[in-house]
């Protein structure tokens, strides 16, 4: 396995590249800050990690994990190290803020734990994750401290020491038998405390006093070679899993994800489709293949489904057999039993209501879940 007790020795070549890239980016800290501690943006760390270890980057999917290495889910945290208080954000519950604010202090941690644990299970089901860890990059005046720590769910039966952290009652704290947590009401955000272990790895960083001269030199390098990217031809569209004609958002009971419930003829319990709004075809007319032409659709677990665009006005994305799409989306991701209607509340609890369709070629596509309101935001940018 890539990650064991000695991160240094588990993958030497990958590890060396990872450290070199962290040192190189950390050396440019003066561009952003005069602080004595190196400043590396958390997105940069996620990208460096995935590049070095050839891990799948999940950071833009807004799920519980930032990366995936084979069947290992990895949460990546980057923060300024504080010996006494390393509470870091692990989840936001904006859609449930009103509901959570009405709970008394004793019951709140239990509901928070349920939502948090459900999202972890959702990410594991969706991406085929069997085990998980946190990888920490903590910034200090001397450089960086790297370590791994368990990625635990909240043990609901072990919750204790529930109390407010201040007189204004804006934050509560609690713990289970493994970790300490805080919840901020105004931000609807859950935090977990991370402690630096004795076997953490320290990486010294030499910060360049004048990084601008170096950047100007780099600018003279062949730009085509410097900025070449693997996914330069990649494009995507966002599709909603709900009806765009109704407010508040809802999933029709006899179409879309619930097509199996429609009348007119006997239907298989796995008969569903993902809606393709006319606006998508209008703005991206050549994104999908012609109607009824088969193409490969990869799901996050790595399986390849046979898909096609069908129905009047090419309004539906389906698979052949159609049951393959429902096996992944309804059974594995939403965890719905056959015969149970999909509803928007279920999507809201899991933190997504759309899917991102990524095009690699005219015959090769990928599907992944997209955060709540992704379709609306995508339409605004079109």
């Amino acid at each position: 396995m890539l990650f064991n007790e000695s991160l240094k020795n588990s993958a030497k070549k990958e590890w060396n590249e990872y450290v070199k890239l962290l040192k190189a980016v950390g050396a440019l800290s003066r561009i952003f800050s005069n602080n004595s501690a190196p400043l590396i943006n958390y997105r940069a760390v996620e990208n460096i990690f995935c590049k070095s270890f050839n891990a799948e980057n999940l950071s833009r999917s807004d799920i519980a994990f930032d990366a995936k290495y084979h069947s290992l889910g990895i949460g990546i945290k980057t923060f300024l190290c504080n010996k006494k208080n390393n509470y870091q954000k692990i989840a936001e519950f904006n859609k449930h803020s009103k509901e959570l604010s009405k709970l008394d202090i004793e019951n709140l941690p239990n509901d928070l734990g349920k939502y948090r644990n459900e999202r972890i299970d959702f990410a594991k089901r969706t991406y085929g994750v069997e085990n998980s860890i946190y990888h920490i990059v903590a910034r200090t005046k001397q450089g960086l401290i790297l370590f791994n720590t368990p990625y635990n769910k909240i043990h609901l039966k072990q919750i204790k020491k529930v109390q407010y952290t201040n007189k204004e009652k804006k934050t509560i704290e609690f713990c289970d038998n493994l970790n300490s947590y805080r919840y901020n009401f105004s931000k609807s955000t859950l935090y977990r405390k991370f402690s630096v272990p004795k076997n953490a790895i320290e990486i010294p960083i030499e910060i360049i006093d004048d990084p601008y001269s170096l950047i100007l030199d780099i600018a003279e390098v062949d730009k085509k070679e410097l900025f070449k990217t693997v996914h330069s031809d990649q494009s995507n569209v966002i599709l909603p899993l709900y009806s765009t004609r109704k407010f508040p958002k809802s999933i029709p009971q006899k179409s879309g994800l619930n097509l199996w419930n429609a009348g007119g003829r006997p239907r298989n319990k796995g008969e569903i489709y993902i809606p393709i709004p006319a606006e998508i075809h209008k703005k991206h007319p050549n994104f999908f293949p012609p109607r009824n032409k088969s193409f490969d659709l990869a799901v996050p677990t790595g399986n390849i489904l046979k898909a096609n665009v069908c129905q009047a006005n090419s309004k539906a994305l389906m698979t052949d057999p159609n049951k393959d799409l429902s096996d992944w989306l309804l059974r594995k991701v939403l965890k719905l039993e056959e015969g149970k209607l999909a509803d928007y509340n279920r999507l809201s609890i899991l933190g997504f209501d759309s899917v991102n369709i990524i095009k690699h070629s005219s015959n090769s596509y990928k599907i992944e879940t997209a955060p709540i309101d992704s379709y609306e935001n995508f339409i605004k940018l079109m």
Side-chain angles (χ1 to χ4, degrees):
M1 183 181 288
L2 174 62
F3 298 94
N4 52 29
E5 293 182 359
S6 178
L7 181 60
K8 274 185 178 178
N9 298 324
S10 59
K12 289 185 178 180
K13 181 180 178 181
E14 293 85 350
W15 169 261
N16 289 336
E17 179 180 353
Y18 181 53
V19 171
K20 286 180 180 179
L21 286 171
L22 287 179
K23 284 184 173 182
V25 176
L28 302 176
S29 295
R30 288 285 181 267
I31 297 175
F32 314 102
S33 171
N34 289 322
N35 196 305
S36 57
L39 179 59
I40 305 180
N41 181 271
Y42 71 99
R43 288 293 188 198
V45 173
E46 293 165 356
N47 292 334
I48 291 171
F49 182 94
C50 291
K51 171 178 169 47
S52 301
F53 293 102
N54 196 27
E56 183 178 357
N57 196 328
L58 306 179
S59 59
R60 295 295 183 180
S61 301
D62 195 32
I63 63 168
F65 305 119
D66 299 301
K68 176 188 172 187
Y69 181 80
H70 297 304
S71 62
L72 181 68
I74 306 157
I76 302 174
K77 292 295 176 187
T78 305
F79 54 81
L80 184 62
C81 189
N82 186 322
K83 293 182 179 180
K84 296 182 180 180
N85 183 6
N86 286 314
Y87 278 93
Q88 297 299 314
K89 180 177 76 173
I90 59 172
E92 290 184 359
F93 300 99
N94 295 322
K95 293 294 181 179
H96 302 284
S97 58
K98 291 183 179 179
E99 172 191 340
L100 293 170
S101 65
K102 296 177 181 178
L103 297 174
D104 60 66
I105 187 174
E106 294 299 327
N107 293 325
L108 178 57
N110 189 71
D111 281 46
L112 281 171
K114 287 181 180 178
Y115 287 136
R116 170 61 174 165
N117 293 349
E118 182 62 68
R119 289 186 181 181
I120 293 174
D121 288 338
F122 154 67
K124 286 185 173 181
R125 294 193 306 268
T126 304
Y127 286 87
V129 170
E130 297 177 3
N131 300 298
S132 54
I133 61 165
Y134 272 112
H135 176 65
I136 309 299
V137 178
R139 299 159 39 228
T140 71
K141 291 183 179 180
Q142 290 72 38
L144 303 176
I145 297 177
L146 311 183
F147 62 94
N148 294 330
T149 191
Y151 196 120
N152 309 116
K153 292 201 292 188
I154 297 176
H155 290 192
L156 303 181
K157 295 183 178 180
Q158 299 290 335
I159 292 176
K160 54 189 175 181
K161 297 182 180 179
V162 185
Q163 60 184 358
Y164 288 107
T165 60
N166 47 43
K167 294 181 180 179
E168 292 78 15
K169 297 184 178 181
K170 294 182 178 180
T171 306
I172 68 165
E173 61 182 21
F174 62 95
C175 63
D176 59 11
N177 58 320
L178 297 174
N179 299 293
S180 297
Y181 300 91
R182 284 182 178 173
Y183 178 72
N184 184 290
F185 287 94
S186 61
K187 297 180 180 180
S188 306
T189 299
L190 180 66
Y191 301 81
R192 173 183 149 177
K193 186 177 182 180
F194 292 91
S195 300
V196 179
K198 293 182 179 179
N199 63 345
I201 300 169
E202 297 186 17
I203 306 295
I205 301 291
E206 295 184 12
I207 299 177
I208 300 173
D209 289 330
D210 180 19
Y212 302 102
S213 297
L214 178 60
I215 291 175
L216 289 174
D217 290 339
I218 293 175
E220 299 304 319
V221 177
D222 187 341
K223 294 181 178 61
K224 290 184 179 179
E225 192 65 30
L226 181 64
F227 297 110
K228 187 188 301 179
T229 58
V230 176
H231 303 297
S232 58
D233 295 328
Q234 178 176 304
S235 59
N236 76 295
V237 298
I238 304 293
L239 303 181
L241 296 176
Y242 52 88
S243 172
T244 58
R245 300 177 180 179
K246 297 181 180 180
F247 185 83
K249 295 178 182 179
S250 63
I251 299 176
Q253 293 191 357
K254 297 182 182 295
S255 63
L257 301 191
N258 294 318
L259 179 62
W260 58 268
N261 190 46
R265 60 173 173 80
R267 296 176 185 272
N268 186 285
K269 295 296 184 182
E271 188 173 350
I272 69 170
Y273 68 84
I274 295 174
I276 307 177
E279 194 72 12
I280 295 295
H281 289 303
K282 180 179 179 181
K283 298 293 185 180
H284 299 273
N286 300 315
F287 181 82
F288 288 108
R291 181 176 163 184
N292 295 327
K293 182 178 180 180
S294 178
F295 58 90
D296 291 340
L297 182 66
V299 297
T301 55
N303 295 330
I304 307 295
L305 312 183
K306 286 297 180 182
N308 58 78
V309 173
C310 54
Q311 294 196 17
N313 300 316
S314 299
K315 70 174 185 179
L317 173 62
M318 305 181 80
T319 59
D320 185 15
N322 190 236
K323 185 175 180 293
D324 286 353
L325 181 58
S326 62
D327 282 347
W328 174 72
L329 186 53
L330 297 190
R331 309 293 171 249
K332 186 178 291 292
V333 177
L334 293 178
K335 210 172 178 59
L336 293 176
E337 297 178 359
E338 283 192 2
K340 186 172 183 179
L341 290 171
D343 59 40
Y344 190 83
N345 183 61
R346 182 61 177 162
L347 298 178
S348 178
I349 289 174
L350 297 176
F352 79 101
D353 65 6
S354 310
V355 290
N356 183 21
I357 308 296
I358 302 167
K359 182 178 183 179
H360 295 294
S361 70
S362 60
N363 190 50
S364 178
Y365 295 73
K366 180 180 180 181
I367 183 173
E368 58 187 22
T369 59
I372 289 174
D373 296 335
S374 291
Y375 174 71
E376 287 87 346
N377 294 333
F378 180 73
I379 291 296
K380 290 177 182 178
L381 297 174
M382 285 172 55

